[in-house]
Each structure stands twice: as C-alpha cells, then as structure tokens.
Amino acid sequence: MASLTPTTALGGTIPFDETIGGNRIREVSDAAMASLAMLKGQGAAFKKAAASRLGELPAPGHAVGHAAGHGGCANHASTIWMGPDQYLVEGIDAATLAATFGASAAITDQSDAWVRFDVTGGDVVAMLERLSGADTRRMQAGSATRTAIHHMHCVIVCRAGGTDFTILGPRSSAASLHHALVAAAASL
Amino acid sequence: MTQVNRLDGGLIDRSTPLGFTFDGRRYGGFAGDTLASALVANGVRLVGRSFKYHRPRGIISAGSEEPNGLVELRTGARREPNSRVTMTELHDGLVATSQNRFPSLGFDLMAVNDRLSNFLGAGFYYKTFMWPKAFWERVYEPIIRRAAGLGALSGEDDPDVYDRGFRHCDLLVIGAGPAGLSAALTAGRAGAEVILVDEDFRAGGRLLQESFGVGGVSGADWAATVVAELQSLPNVRLMPRSTAIGVFDHGIHAVLERTGDHIAAPDAGKPRQILWRVYARRSLLCAGATERLIGFADNDRPGIMQAGAVRGYVNRFAATPAEHVAVFTNNDDGHRTATDLAAAGVDVAAIIDSRPDAPKSEVAEVFAGAVVSGTGGRLGIGHVDIRLAGGGRKHVQCGALAVSGGWNPNVHLTCHHRGRPAWQDDICAFVPGEGVPPGMAVAGAARGVFSTAGTIGDGQAQAIAQLAEIGITAAADTLPEAEDAPVRITPLWHVPGKKRAWLDQQNDVTVKDVKLAHQENFRAVEHLKRYTTLGMAGDQGRTSNVLGLAIMAELTGKSIAETGTTIYRPPYTPTPIAAFAGRSVGRDFRPTRLTPSHHWAAEQGATFVEAGAWLRAQWFPREGETHWRESVDREVLATRDSVGVCDVSTLGKIDIQGRDAGAFLDLAYSNTFSTLAVGKTRYGLMLREDGMVMDDGTTARLGEMHYVMTTTTANAGSVYRHLEFVRQCLRPDMDVQLISATDSWAQFAVAGPNARRVLQELVDPQHDISNEGFPFMACGAISVCDGVPARLFRISFSGELAYEIAVPARYGDSMIRALMAAGEPWGITPYGTEALGVMRIEKGHVTGNELNGTITARNLGMARMVSAKKDSIGAVLAGREALVAEDGLCLVGLEALDDGQVIAGSHLFDAEGPVDAAHDRGYVTSAAYSPHIGASIGLGFITRGAERHGEVVRALNPLEGRSALVRICSPHFIDPEGERLRG
C-alpha cells in the first residue's frame, strides 16, 4: 500500500522561512484549524461546550487564546471571530471539537483550507500597511479581523501589537499571497 | 555654468551642489532647488512651446499649478512626459528635455500655427476642417492627432514598481503651511492620531516663500520648529512629497506619495510612488491658495510670472527671474514682491497698480490707475506697454513681469462630492460652499483667510472643532505673533484690447475664445469649459478657471456668484495610471489559484489554461506530439478504453450542515434533496428567481444534517454568495450553516473501465468499493493509504465508470503520484480540461456554455426536475407563459456532415430558406472533435429540437462567412443507456 506524504501550501516539504529587511516571514503548516458555527436554538449547549473547551468566546474583531488541544502549535492557539456565531479555532482538530460540541455546532476541518504566514519583526505594521486596509497599527494581542489582501480573502491575527502577526489566506492562492508578502517586505 | 540669476540667502543648501541637463546643456544648482528654481537661477526663461500655437513659454509659478513648465524627465523606459518643473526636486544628474517643439525650443517650425490663430480658435475642428467630408477621417484627423499632445511616452513598459497602502488616523491635515502646521500641532499635542501631508519636500507652505516672520523668527524657522516637535510625537505621521488627490466616501482620501522621484532611480524592489488610501475620521483641508494672473495682450511671454512665485524664487530659492523686474497688480500683494525684490538687490523697474488709490512704494515708481496693455520681446519679455490713468502711454524695459490678480483658495477637494464653492465679494474669490464632503473642514487660505496670523489661528481653531466632534479635547495654546494685513483688492480680470490675452496657458485658451463661446451661445460654465477647453488640461485650470468665468460673467451681465464654477474631480494633480494599479500588474493583476496537483502537472509538461483565477491543466502533451488534438484525442481514447485521471479540485465545494440542511437544499435546488439517503449523491439544478438555470452540480449527503454541494468551477463564488443570501436574508429562520470547502480538498476524477481496479490499490481494505458495496451515485467518508481520511463519490462527468476521490489538500501532490503509480499496469492517463470537455459533450452533460442565463430547465429537457411538490427558488417564474411554450428551444446534439466542423456560437437555420433574425432557429453552445464518433460534434439549442432528430440544418457563422451542415441528434452520443456508469 502506498503511503501519502503531505506538502506545505506552497508545495514544498520545508515551510518557507525568510527574513527580509526587518521582518521575518515564516510559513506555518502544522497548525490544526477547524470552523465552528453554532446551530440554531442550541445556544445553551453550545456555550457550555465552548466554556469547557475554549474558555471565553471572542467578540467581533477579536481572537481569544485557549489551552491547545492536540495537533496544534502550542504558542498560538486561539478562537477567532469570523461572523455572527461563527469562529475559526486554531490548535484543536475538528474531531475533538465535534466530540465536545456534538449536535450544537456545525464543524469542518479547516487545516487544509488556509495557508498561514507568521510575520514578526520591528517593521511589521509598515509591511501590513502595504497589504491590508485593516487598522493594523492599532491592533493589539487578541485583535483579529477578516480582510482583503490583493483581492484574496484573508484573516489577520495580532499576536503582539506592532511586532507579531499571523496572516491566513486561501490555500489555493498561497503562491500569490506569498508573493504579496515578500514584495511588501522588500519595498520598505 | 555660473548661475547668473542666483542671489544670496534662501533656503537652498550651498554645501551640496548638483548638476543637471536641460535640452542637452549642463547647468548647476543646489540641494533644495526644484528644477524650476534652478532654471530660473541659470537665467533660462524659455522652457516650452504652447499646445496649439507653439508660442514660446516660460515658468509662471512655483507650485503644482504650473501650466507651462512641462518637460520630459529621465530617459529610456523611465522617461515621463509633462512633468512640472516646479514639482521636480533637483537631484544630481537629472535629465530634462523640453516638449512640443521641432526642431528646437528656440526655433520651432510649428510656430506657424500662431499665424493661423484665426483658424484655430475654440471649436475650430467643427468649423475649419469640414470640407471635403472624406478628408476628415483620412487627412485632417490624423494630422491633428499627431500635432496634439505635449510630451510623448517612452513606448516601453514602465519598469518602476508602485505600491498601494492603507493608513488610518483621527485627523488628516492636508497641507503643511501655516494653517496645517498649526492644526497638526494642536491635534498632535492633544494625543490624536494625526497624519500631515504636503506635496512639497519641505513643510512650511507659503511661509517658505514669504519674508514674514512668525513669533519673532523667520517663517521657515518657525515651520522647522513645529516640524521638529511633530516628529517627536509618536501619534503624528508626517508625509512630505505627498499629494492628497481625492476625497472619496466614508472619510477615505487618496494620497499619492512620491518616494522615488527625487533620486535618480529607486532601489530594486522599492516603489517609485505609493498610492495611500487614508481612512480619516476627520480631515482638515489646509491647501492654501493659488494666485491669479490678469489677462492682457501677449501676457504669456516667458518671464511673466505670478507675483507670489517671484517672491518664492527670491526668498526660498535665492533666484531672481531677471535683473529688472516690473510689477502689475490690482491688490497690495504686488507691492510685497517689489519690496522683497529690492531687499534682495534686484531692480524693480515699475509698479503698475490698476487701483486709482494705489499706495506709494519706497522701492519703485508706482503708476496708479494704470494697466499693462501689451508686452514685447523675442522668446521672452523685453518691455511692457503701460496705459496710464490719464490715457498716456509708457514703455518700461524689464526681463520679468510679476503679476498679481488676487488669490483663489484651493477649494478643489471640497468639491469632490459635487460640492459647489461660494463667491466671496470682499476677497474676490470662491471659498468652500455647500456640499463639502462629510467630516471635512477647511482652514486658512483655502477658505479665504489670507493673513499669516489668520491662517495660524484658523488652523488651530478648526482642528479643535474637528477633534471635538470625535470626542477629543484639544487645547488652544498661545499663538505666535505674525502679520495680519487685510485683503485690499479691486477686481480687474482682463485689460480690454484687440490682441489676444491668455487665460489657460496650457490649453492655449484666450479671452477671445471666451467671447467666441459667448457669441456662439455656449454661455453656461460647463459649455464654456468644453467648447473652449478652458480648464481641461493637466492643471485643471488652476490659473485660469476663475478668470474665464469672470469674463463670461461680464459678457452675460450676470454676477460671478450666479455664473458659478464647473465641478472639480479627482485627481487633483496628474497621477500615473501605474499608481492606481499598484502591484496588480501583468500576471499579478489578480491572484492565481493553483490546484494541489499543479506542480506535478507542470513536471509532466502540461499546458495550462486560465479558468477564472485557477490554472488548470488543459492537456498533457507526450513526446512526439506536435498538435494539441493529438494529445486530447489520445487522452479521450485512453480514458474510455482503460482509465484516466483528472484533477477536479477547482469545482466549488460547499459544506452545508444543520437540522434544516435538507429543507434548505429543497429551496435552493429545483429538485428534492431532503429525501436523499445518507451515503448518496444526486444531480441538482439551481434556478435564479426568474426561472433561468443558474448552476448545476451534484450534492452528496454525508450525514443526517450534513451535505456537501458541488458547483461548477466558474460559479463557485456566485453560488456560495447566493446561498448565503438565502440563508441570511430569505430564510433566517432555517437552521443551516455554510462554509466553502473548495480549497480544503484535493479531488481527482478516476474514470474508465479500470477505474475501480486502480482505486482498490489505494483505498484501505475495510472499505467496500465494489459495484454492490458502492453503487453508482454512492458517497462516503473513507480512508486511503493506511488511514489518510478521504471522501469517495461515485459520480461521472465523463460517462465512464468513474469515482471522484478527495483527500485533504496537503496530500494532493502525493495522491496524484500514488494514483499514477497504482494505475501504471493499466496505462493510466492523466487528462486535462480539453479531454474532459470532449467527453462531457459526448455524453450530453451541460456546463456553463449551455447554462448561459437565458436557458430554463425545460430548454434542457429537464422540466421534470422542477418539482411541483414543493416551492423552490425560480419555480414560479419558470412557469411563465413564454417559457413553457410548445415550440421553445430544446437541447440537442449536433453532428457535422462531410468532415465539416461544428463551431460553437454558430446559429442554426433550416437547410433551405432565408437567413435572417426571423428565421433563426437556435444556436450551438459547445463543440469538439469526438475521436470515438470520428466526427466533429456539438451541443446546442433549437426550436422543437426533440421532434427534429435526424434532420439536417445549417450552422452559420456569418461574421466569418462560415457555414456547415449538421444533423440534429440526441445529445447523448456515447452509451446513451448509461450502462458503463453502473458497472
């Protein structure tokens, strides 16, 4: 029986990791991600399950860290607000979430839907200003927003104000997003 | 090389000398010079030839309103025409060339146009070149078009890179003159997030050009002190070399920052310019004012300048336009120019003040109540003719004439939302009126407050008011002392006379043209503008608009207030189109989506096709194949003969969950899905509200409350958007959640008689994919290759025994390689979109070609798929009388006769009879060569198609003059009973 080996969103086996100017752009390919959406009339059960597994649920424009489940990157595991009663959960695989939430939520595995780049350094906001209309200068740890980067639907999560951000983009456009990030970093 | 007109002092940096070239001659300047000031310092008066008449022209201003000083900058691919010398920062090695002259500036053959001026007035091409009619397109238009324009593009691709950017602030201050600096300081000290933009490379605005003091120090020093404090505040961002070019909705302002124009060339990867979108909660327009000239005979000779610009060259750039300068003014400002010139040691030849009560001057003779009635000089002014108050004449020699006709507040941005400025009589100027963009206020000269003390105070007051509106309290700190002179002006728009007097120097529009427009009844300002082209050049009439409409007002007997202005629109100053494009150029115009097997396909040498944003393999040429048909025919034959594999990841996949998922699908699809068993898929037809088919696909039920819908590649986004609209807006009561799963899964179609054998090599043994265990239209979650989660769907687009196997996208590359290895014993063949297309046409499966937005389920022969037992979107309107007519269009197959070719887009006509719209029976939607049938086939729609099988009709392409005979047949060319599918 053949065995399958995974590739990163950029199509390689080693995640992209490069420092350009003052900013480091690092592809993160081993993060589990799942979508979580409350089903109608299931508020009580949903909130109970959320409290037990995720702690606090984020308000619009925010992400809240939680203790990581298996399959996640330990440092950055948070629940990201995506829409009314809709969240993107990092660091917990879909099966574990499904076991917790049962019939109170619609859950899908999002680990392969996104490409993730973590951008760190002294100049990150200057770089993000070339990419997105989100007010990244004001974002602090726990700010997160959906946004467009070069016509791609993305999510920006602030890990530390001014210096540490995660950018999620559609996996199929990984090469285009990568190009946009590298060009922005190089143009400062 | 010596700078003959250089003075002492100024704000230039003499420790950094710079060299530049103009029209091939080398000159010297200093850091802090603009190209304009360096030319002035070098005594270069002649810089261009005018647009229509090729009259010699010189620099008239020191700012972005410059209409004459337009040159080509740089060489090679970076060469840019129509660059204003006043806005070009001097750098070492700068190369500039004059435009619109042949063979040279000094001797321009096209100056003959000036002799023909009677034939070239406003609207000339509606009058002069009308006969003979045939000559217009063939002779006159090409000649006029070649003669038109000023500078020429390089013709090469722009090698520079442009960025777009986004910034947010509480207060955007536009303009860093006294009003803007004062406002930014007030707001910055209050802790507000402030962005201060100015088009100049140095903050200070008119303070840099005047000799006024502020708070006991020079204006320039005061500005520098304020800038230093602003730079120390982390909440303030200064953006020099940045022009606010437009005001848009929701507080969004466009600001063009020139990051690479003041150096020889930007470093690799660095942008030349950045177009910023600034989201401002409030904005304060401190854009200052532009000085007017006065119309008089031959008022366009090189050396005639705005009086304020002369002060600017003297005070900021230490350059005088000439040794002997005369002044013509209708207000007190002209006298300031005389004073500053004299203080710099320049001779003031005369002060011609049109006001009978003109003040005396200590530095020159004042001719009160006099006007300039003409000028003389070759390639530049040599003397002015003065008509004295008493009627006498005087002749004064001079090398430059400083003209002051009053100041026009730069209200432009206040009008970008169709606002109209208001006329203020006491200053003879338009000030911001109704319709200022929401959130914007105006301070200083931009709203008619002209004194230095006035602007500084106004900037502070307006900033405080703007911040108060957003809940920020700012302090009114003590203001520095500054001059506070009132405006004393007596209007004089033009000096009547026979000879031409210029208004719009860039478009060569004269007072005579305005009179002509009036005479020909183009009297409304919008007509005046377009008939004469006054104000339509790159300077948007900044030095001419008000003069033109004031003269029209005189002619019509209306007041200026009644006459009004035309609309100002973005961009405020000329902006390269590349700046709007930013990085979205060429291949990067929009993002590209790659399938999980893309790299593998590229390794195989596949030819790719753009399918929306996706790149899809179109065919996989093999060694020795020279034509795409060879590859495609081979792929089709191999798949139907044995087994083929195709990446179908691009089709939209929408995950649908919830208690009402089934009911939701019953509403969105015309047929029923709530009755679909778990573990089954079903073909679905999706209608628009008007009954037309929007999309089709298969939807799989993976669980009680869990479905996965597929859509066509092209409609993935629009179907998802539509479903969200249904969910959120039409039926918010339903319990259903949606999310796109398109990118998550790598999905491959494995098709052909050996498809199952290949898959059995990879599907984990506990999953039964035999015909009994996994019949046609089954679906389910399985695992492959020792536990990798997967989904299997037994659906077939090709019409062969087929499955679609999906694995998480990260395994897509590995999966295609595994499939190829597993299929090797059966000669597995990768096939692309072309072969996919041939096979689906052979089976009569419809795609976007057929679902063109005008086709109904009935046209497709699928009327019964619109369930009568339940409501669904589109069901009602699909029953409209015209749509259920007996002789409506019907989907048919078409086979070409006699080795002919079916061509998609052809229209169908009876074998005999007229060819016109009334006899048009239908059209061809898809066509391909079928290697199995051995002929060109296609799908199309024809009236009463079901009854016409066997009939021969004509397929016509009149545009290309082509015609083919085609036989109507069933759209199911191969295996019409569908036996292969079910094996």
Side-chain angles (χ1 to χ4, degrees), chain B residues 439-452:
Chain B
M440 173 177 275
V442 189
R447 73 178 192 94
V449 175
F450 289 135
S451 76
T452 311

Side-chain angles (χ1 to χ4, degrees), chain B residues 331-345:
Chain B
N331 66 90
D332 282 355
D333 257 27
H335 290 257
R336 286 199 192 125
T337 301
T339 311
D340 286 356
L341 281 165

Side-chain angles (χ1 to χ4, degrees), chain A residues 1-7 10-11 29-31 35 37-40 42 84-86 103-113 128-135 137-138 150-152 170-173 175-176 179 183-184 186-188, chain B residues 163-168 170 193 234 237 269-271 274 276 279 583-584 588-589 591-594 599 614 655 657-659 705 727 732-735 737 739-740 743-744 761-764 784-786 788 808-811 813-815 818:
Chain A
M1 172 76 69
S3 70
L4 298 181
T5 51
T7 57
L10 287 174
S29 61
D30 58 351
S35 71
M38 189 182 85
L39 290 176
K40 220 173 255 314
Q42 301 297 314
D85 298 325
Q86 295 172 338
S104 71
I107 292 165
T108 68
D109 188 334
Q110 291 285 304
S111 311
D112 289 61
L128 294 176
E129 278 185 340
R130 304 287 168 102
L131 297 168
S132 159
D135 194 352
R137 193 158 180 253
R138 273 207 240 242
H150 285 233
H151 308 293
M152 290 175 281
R171 188 191 180 95
S172 60
S173 303
S176 290
H179 176 76
S187 72
L188 298 178
Chain B
D163 264 344
R164 276 187 290 209
F166 309 84
R167 285 201 168 145
H168 297 252
D170 291 323
E193 288 284 332
R237 275 180 292 186
K270 305 274 186 263
I274 304 173
W276 293 96
Y279 298 78
R583 299 280 182 164
S584 301
D588 297 331
F589 176 64
T592 305
R593 297 172 80 175
L594 302 177
H599 295 293
W614 293 97
D655 189 283
Q657 297 184 36
R659 280 157 192 79
M705 305 196 306
R727 184 183 83 87
D733 58 299
M734 279 190 169
D735 178 25
Q737 288 283 1
I739 196 165
S740 165
D743 279 17
S744 295
E761 301 290 322
L762 300 176
V763 173
D764 286 340
V784 300
C785 300
D786 267 337
V788 174
R810 69 183 62 200
Y811 294 112
D813 179 271
S814 193
M815 188 65 181

Side-chain angles (χ1 to χ4, degrees), chain B residues 268-413:
Chain B
K270 305 274 186 263
R272 177 201 164 198
Q273 297 179 356
I274 304 173
L275 183 62
W276 293 96
R277 200 183 299 184
V278 178
Y279 298 78
R281 294 172 71 194
R282 288 292 182 275
S283 64
L284 190 60
L285 184 67
C286 305
T290 300
E291 194 169 30
R292 280 194 300 269
L293 296 165
I294 298 169
F296 53 90
D298 291 328
N299 62 335
D300 67 329
R301 276 191 217 280
I304 300 178
M305 285 187 171
Q306 296 165 326
V310 173
R311 292 199 297 281
Y313 286 116
V314 168
N315 294 322
R316 176 177 177 182
F317 298 107
T320 180
E323 275 184 53
H324 307 282
V325 182
V327 174
F328 180 27
T329 183
N330 66 359
N331 66 90
D332 282 355
D333 257 27
H335 290 257
R336 286 199 192 125
T337 301
T339 311
D340 286 356
L341 281 165
V346 179
D347 173 52
V348 180
I351 299 175
I352 304 117
D353 192 324
S354 65
R355 301 170 294 171
D357 58 347
K360 292 250 177 293
S361 170
E362 284 178 8
V363 304
E365 185 178 359
V366 175
F367 298 98
V371 292
V372 171
S373 56
T375 68
R378 193 185 164 270
L379 297 185
I381 190 170
H383 69 264
V384 288
D385 295 317
I386 307 172
R387 194 168 68 231
L388 301 170
R393 302 266 164 181
K394 195 150 174 73
H395 187 99
V396 170
Q397 307 273 85
C398 61
L401 176 67
V403 182
S404 182
W407 289 82
N408 294 328
N410 291 330
V411 302
H412 310 68
L413 263 57

Side-chain angles (χ1 to χ4, degrees), chain B residues 535-554:
Chain B
M536 290 179 71
D539 63 341
Q540 280 197 58
R542 286 175 61 190
T543 51
S544 60
N545 280 339
V546 175
L547 281 178
L549 59 93
I551 291 168
M552 180 58 85
E554 269 179 17

Side-chain angles (χ1 to χ4, degrees), chain A residues 33 80 88 114-116 153-155 157 166-170 177:
Chain A
M33 281 193 285
I80 303 166
L88 187 61
W114 302 91
V115 58
R116 171 174 159 181
H153 164 234
C154 293
V155 182
V157 185
T166 288
I167 299 170
L168 301 170
L177 180 58

Side-chain angles (χ1 to χ4, degrees), chain B residues 197-269:
Chain B
V197 305
D198 195 285
E199 57 184 6
D200 207 329
F201 52 92
R202 182 173 173 155
R206 277 223 69 80
L207 290 176
L208 305 179
Q209 304 199 33
E210 302 288 1
S211 52
F212 305 139
V214 178
V217 299
S218 74
D221 283 345
W222 180 81
T225 310
V226 175
V227 167
E229 185 177 339
L230 291 171
Q231 279 168 339
S232 75
L233 297 171
N235 53 313
V236 176
R237 275 180 292 186
L238 297 153
M239 295 179 68
R241 302 186 179 94
S242 302
T243 310
I245 60 169
V247 187
F248 302 92
D249 290 319
H250 312 304
I252 295 174
H253 300 69
V255 174
L256 182 73
E257 181 182 8
R258 285 161 277 118
T259 51
D261 284 339
H262 59 289
I263 51 181
D267 290 333

